[in-house]
Every structure is written in structure tokens, then in C-alpha cells.
Amino acid sequence: MVQWQGTNFTVDGHEPTSAEEYYRIGLHCWTSGQHPGAEVHFLETAASTGHSAAIELLGHIDYIQGRYASAVPRLRHSSGSPRSAFYLASLYHRGCPQAGIVESLDEAARWYHASARLGEPEAMIVLGDLYLERLIPISRSPAEHALEQFLAAATRNHPYGQYRAAEIYRTLYQDNERAAVMYQTCVDNPMTGRHALGSMMTLQSQAHLREISAARANRRLQQRRDTVNPAQRRGDYY
């Protein structure tokens, strides 16, 4: 067993000997929230041997805890990870003097694209916004580029991607039927309630669904009027 601040740690009842086993202990400490600080100790032991997953997780921990100077080399080492690429994009997007990174939308876009290609929906959503704002090069209309990114995030079950795709369909394409599908998907998504904008997305989606439903009902009534009282006969009665 190994000790950290008086607590004994083992892997399947035996003392950890490999980088993978030290990584497993560090990962457990991080995900469980037990023994704060122990995760870094064990992950650094694993990372010192070049354990890729340990280096990536340390980069993640450094980033979210604001230790950007130590995060950046670890993120660069793990840049084949969608999360690490997204963090690097975010740092270039706003600039990070602490880590020696100068603000650059070109570099940010490069890393956002890399992260999106690796499947990170948050990167897709940021790219969608950058396209809409025409802050990165476009080869089609901004709406086309943005919708492509929002739909890609939506297919990965990201509720904000679903909501933003619905908004594009409704406002820029006037396609209420496709918008309704996306709004309903967002409302039904269990992840929506856990999103920071979950309440707003739910309320707005439900309101737009009611509007779309009312418009459908009005169209059906008008079709009924046109069928039972054809336009060519209306002069007889009006």
C-alpha cells in the first residue's frame, strides 16, 4: 500500500506498482471528491512516466482550477483529446498572459476546429457563433455554417446545440417544422435540466412549440375554409 497524508491506498488489495495503477487511484480520488489533493499526487506519479491519460487529466484539473501556466504544456501534450483541444482554443480566444498566450482568433478557430473534429460539442457551438458573427472565414452563408455546427452538437445530445439549431431553423430559415423537431428534442433531453441555461431553453422551446402548434391549427382551419367554400364561389355569399 502507499500512503498519502495518513491514508492508505491500494489497487485490488495490493500496493500500486505501475503508472496505470497510480492513474486509477488518482482518477478515483478526482471523481469521488474524496481526499482533495491526493488526485494530483497520484496522477503526477503516473504522468512522470509519460502516462497519457494522467497527463490529460492533470491538464484538465489545472485548467478548471485556473493554473493555466502548468495546464498549457499538459494540454499541448494531450491535444489529440477533444477536451484538451477545446481548452487550448478557449485560451487563445480570450488570451492568457499567465500562460504566455496572446489572444488570437485564428489560433482559437484552429483549435476549435480540431476539437470539433474530435467530437467536442462545446467546440461546435462556439464555432457556430463565430460563423454567425463572421469572425472566421466562410465559404457559404453564415447561417449554413452555423447550422451545420449546431446540428453536429445536437446529434451528440447537447441540449444547447439542439436549441440553437431550432432557433436557426425558425428565425433564419422560417422552417417551423424542423424547428419544432429540435425544440421538442431539447425539451425531452434529460441533459437540458442540468445545463446552465436549462430553464431558459425549456421555457423558450415550449413557448415556440405552442406558437408553431397554433400556426398549424390555423392553417388547417384555413384549408377547411378553402375546401368547403372555394374562392370562386365566395362572391355568391359575401
Side-chain angles (χ1 to χ4, degrees), residues 2-9 34-42:
V2 295
Q3 279 198 342
W4 185 83
Q5 293 190 351
T7 301
N8 297 324
F9 291 88
Q34 299 175 347
H35 315 293
E39 70 280 354
V40 172
H41 170 76
F42 291 110

Side-chain angles (χ1 to χ4, degrees), residues 11 39 67 174-175 183 224 236:
V11 177
E39 70 280 354
R67 295 189 295 271
Q174 287 79 52
D175 188 338
Y183 282 131
R224 169 68 180 173
D236 298 338

Side-chain angles (χ1 to χ4, degrees), residues 100-185:
I101 290 180
V102 178
E103 179 183 344
S104 169
L105 267 180
D106 290 334
E107 275 297 292
R110 184 172 75 84
W111 283 110
Y112 282 133
H113 278 295
S115 180
R117 283 193 296 270
L118 291 165
E120 176 52 62
E122 294 288 350
M124 298 166 191
I125 289 168
V126 176
L127 283 171
D129 283 329
L130 291 174
Y131 279 125
L132 282 177
E133 295 173 22
R134 304 183 187 210
L135 291 173
I136 54 179
I138 57 175
S139 57
R140 294 167 284 156
S141 74
E144 286 181 79
H145 282 293
L147 181 60
E148 180 179 63
Q149 295 296 330
F150 294 147
L151 286 174
T155 61
R156 287 161 176 80
N157 206 37
H158 195 292
Y160 195 56
Q162 293 160 354
Y163 177 78
R164 294 299 301 279
E167 290 285 277
I168 293 286
Y169 277 132
R170 182 179 64 85
T171 62
L172 299 183
Y173 285 90
Q174 287 79 52
D175 188 338
N176 282 344
E177 297 310 310
R178 285 192 172 92
V181 171
M182 285 289 106
Y183 282 131
Q184 191 63 58
T185 302

Side-chain angles (χ1 to χ4, degrees), residues 46-47 49 51 60 93 95 99 114 119 132 156 162 192 206 208 217 234:
T49 69
H51 193 283
H60 168 72
H93 197 160
L132 282 177
R156 287 161 176 80
Q162 293 160 354
T192 300
Q206 290 171 335
H208 291 311
R234 289 180 192 163

